[in-house]
Amino acid sequence: MRQVAVIGAGKTPFGAFPDKDLRTLAVEAAHKSLANAQVDTGTIEAFYLGNFAGPGFTGQNHLAPYISTALGMIGIPSTRYEAACASSGAAFFEACLGIASGMYDMVMVAGVEKMTCQPTPRVTEILAGAGDCSTEVRAGSTFPSLFAMVARRHMYQYGTTRAHLSSVAVKNHENGVLNPDAQMRKVITLEQAMNARPIAEPLNLYDCSLISDGAAAVILCAADRAHEFSAKPVKVLGVGQSSDYMALDQKPDITTFSAVKGAAQKAYAMAGLGPKDIQFAELHDCFTIAEIVAMEDLGFVERGRGGFFSAEGGTRRVGPMPINASGGLKSKGHPVGATGVAQICDIVQQLRGEAGERQLERHSIGLAQNLGGSGASCVVTILGRD
Amino acid sequence: MRTGIIYTDTIVHLAPEKFAADVPYQVVIVSLDGEGAGRLTARIAGDNVVIGDRVREVEGRDGIPVFQKSA
């Protein structure tokens, strides 16, 4: 198996962009990644697109060639991958296989979502489609409500508190303020975060990530050829994908996501590393409780200690395990299908020492965790400096 | 009708259009009584419930299972 390197990364800002359609966003991110890698489209042998619900949000289907041909890439394999919020993580995983197998030397992975073109109740309805429509969604579960039920059980079993949840939001906003591409660049206080209007109790507005438009793209290359193109290639040390039951009511214990554990075990094993070796991470904080559960499932803290660790400041940029220095989904924004690749872009930026005011002191090995649905899909990627 | 115990719950304030008239409403996961009966996502009628409460099934609507706190 050949090692894979990331030689280019590019993102659009995340936010509400009424004048930019889905394709415009994806093409913008793709061009940035090509420019960053200093390669042209002629070198790209395959296009992998992560997108959750483009057809639902915009009416457009068959999205991969819709985008790749707009980039002038005609004739190459061009396919869309869907794994709910882990869509572009899944696309990235497949793209890694394409290089690792020896089939390709260079490919592009992009992720995109255009969400703000629909009113919030319709967005809520589309997002709920990532749950099991025949059971939990039919009963009135929204996406926030699924994670609210996780939070309620986590609080019951481990003593996680309202303030613990809010500490995640406060920290991610503190980081997002320093990210010029973040959607919500605003400091919030713990009091504000704890007392926001309820969305699905116990979760409130500040426990929930944002509704966003945006795209991200990376150029992957065989590691043995990366130096031909890049002075600062980043190596994919390990990558793993796993799956689990769709509905929460099918899982034996909803305070842990076995897909996250499974993906992490595979990624750690491939990298020959463990949780203690990870210096920083971008975790899938679609809701505050998701960041807490993720840090436990990844082995950064003991089970049940995620909320306490967060409230103690353990995940701040100056803490022992900085999490979501980018601002996370909470502050940076969460264009669902773009998020997995956007996390990779954020890790690459840190590893290269190009994160500006957000630059972390220890930045040799970073981990990205991209979660789909309420834990039915997960992709974990470990990246390191060459 | 089925009976069980509340495993977890939420109170929904922001709902899709078709449930907008019900807001706020409580959604729960019930651990059903009986060996291997498993769990079920359901709505609550009447008083709100908390984890550990015993509930019994009442007549549902549109195929949605509905439970109520046991007296």
Side-chain angles (χ1 to χ4, degrees), chain A residues 238 263-275 278 297-300 367 382:
Chain A
Q265 276 165 9
K266 293 172 195 182
Y268 285 141
M270 189 188 289
L273 298 171
I278 305 302
D297 287 335
L298 292 164
F300 297 163
L367 178 150
I382 301 170

Side-chain angles (χ1 to χ4, degrees), chain A residues 18-298:
Chain A
D19 57 339
K20 288 184 182 176
D21 67 10
L22 182 147
R23 180 159 57 184
T24 306
L25 290 164
V27 165
E28 181 181 326
H31 279 306
K32 283 183 177 173
S33 71
L34 289 163
N36 187 252
Q38 293 182 291
V39 297
D40 60 44
T41 52
T43 63
I44 303 298
E45 296 167 273
F47 179 67
Y48 298 78
L49 178 72
N51 170 265
F52 166 51
F57 284 119
T58 71
Q60 179 66 51
N61 216 323
H62 209 173
L63 290 169
Y66 174 71
I67 291 161
S68 55
T69 54
L71 287 159
M73 301 192 297
I74 319 294
I76 60 170
S78 178
T79 310
R80 168 186 168 215
Y81 294 81
E82 190 272 307
C85 313
S87 292
S88 60
F92 178 84
F93 180 82
E94 293 296 328
C96 285
L97 299 188
I99 301 276
S101 71
M103 179 76 98
Y104 307 122
D105 281 354
M106 197 175 306
V107 302
M108 178 188 287
V109 192
V112 65
E113 208 76 57
K114 173 74 190 177
M115 302 171 74
T116 68
C117 48
Q118 296 289 342
T120 302
R122 177 67 187 139
V123 173
T124 305
E125 198 168 47
I126 292 170
L127 293 176
D132 188 331
C133 291
S134 68
T135 58
E136 54 192 7
V137 176
R138 190 182 62 162
S141 298
T142 57
F143 229 69
S145 76
L146 295 176
F147 281 88
M149 290 196 284
V150 170
R152 194 80 100 189
R153 189 72 200 179
H154 201 277
M155 293 164 112
Y156 176 81
Q157 285 184 207
Y158 300 113
T160 303
T161 67
R162 174 66 265 167
H164 290 171
L165 297 177
S166 292
S167 72
V168 174
V170 170
K171 179 264 301 175
N172 286 345
H173 275 266
E174 177 183 288
N175 293 340
V177 165
L178 303 178
N179 182 352
D181 290 332
Q183 183 169 358
M184 194 173 279
R185 301 184 67 189
K186 180 175 105 170
V187 173
I188 57 169
T189 66
L190 187 62
E191 197 186 6
Q192 274 176 310
M194 288 176 70
N195 297 305
R197 74 179 163 88
I199 300 294
E201 294 178 52
L203 301 184
N204 68 38
L205 185 66
Y206 279 128
D207 291 305
C208 304
S209 55
L210 307 169
I211 294 169
S212 318
D213 304 332
V218 290
I219 309 296
L220 303 188
C221 178
D224 53 21
R225 292 197 57 198
H227 280 288
E228 295 172 34
F229 306 100
S230 174
K232 287 183 181 180
V234 163
K235 280 187 174 164
V236 178
L237 302 177
V239 63
Q241 182 170 351
S242 190
S243 57
D244 191 17
Y245 293 109
M246 281 281 286
L248 283 185
D249 59 23
Q250 292 178 286
K251 298 182 205 285
D253 180 355
I254 66 168
T255 63
T256 175
F257 291 132
S258 71
V260 180
K261 282 183 172 172
Q265 276 165 9
K266 293 172 195 182
Y268 285 141
M270 189 188 289
L273 298 171
K276 296 262 183 297
D277 300 309
I278 305 302
Q279 297 176 337
F280 65 98
E282 287 289 322
L283 304 189
H284 196 96
D285 61 319
C286 50
F287 301 94
T288 50
I289 185 64
E291 181 172 313
I292 288 171
V293 173
M295 65 176 96
E296 296 173 4
D297 287 335
L298 292 164

Side-chain angles (χ1 to χ4, degrees), chain A residues 139-140 149 152-153 199 201 249, chain B residues 8 10-11 13 25 41 43:
Chain A
M149 290 196 284
R152 194 80 100 189
R153 189 72 200 179
I199 300 294
E201 294 178 52
D249 59 23
Chain B
T8 189
T10 179
I11 298 167
H13 292 264
Y25 57 87
T41 306
R43 285 281 197 100

Side-chain angles (χ1 to χ4, degrees), chain A residues 134-135 138-139 249, chain B residues 1-6 30-34 36-44 53-61 63-70:
Chain A
S134 68
T135 58
R138 190 182 62 162
D249 59 23
Chain B
M1 292 295 234
R2 295 171 287 191
T3 57
I5 189 161
I6 298 297
V30 182
S31 295
L32 295 170
D33 291 335
R39 297 199 186 115
L40 180 71
T41 306
R43 285 281 197 100
I44 290 298
D53 279 352
R54 291 212 52 84
V55 289
R56 62 183 172 83
E57 193 168 15
V58 295
E59 198 171 332
R61 55 164 182 144
I64 301 173
V66 178
F67 282 71
Q68 190 174 313
K69 203 168 173 170
S70 297

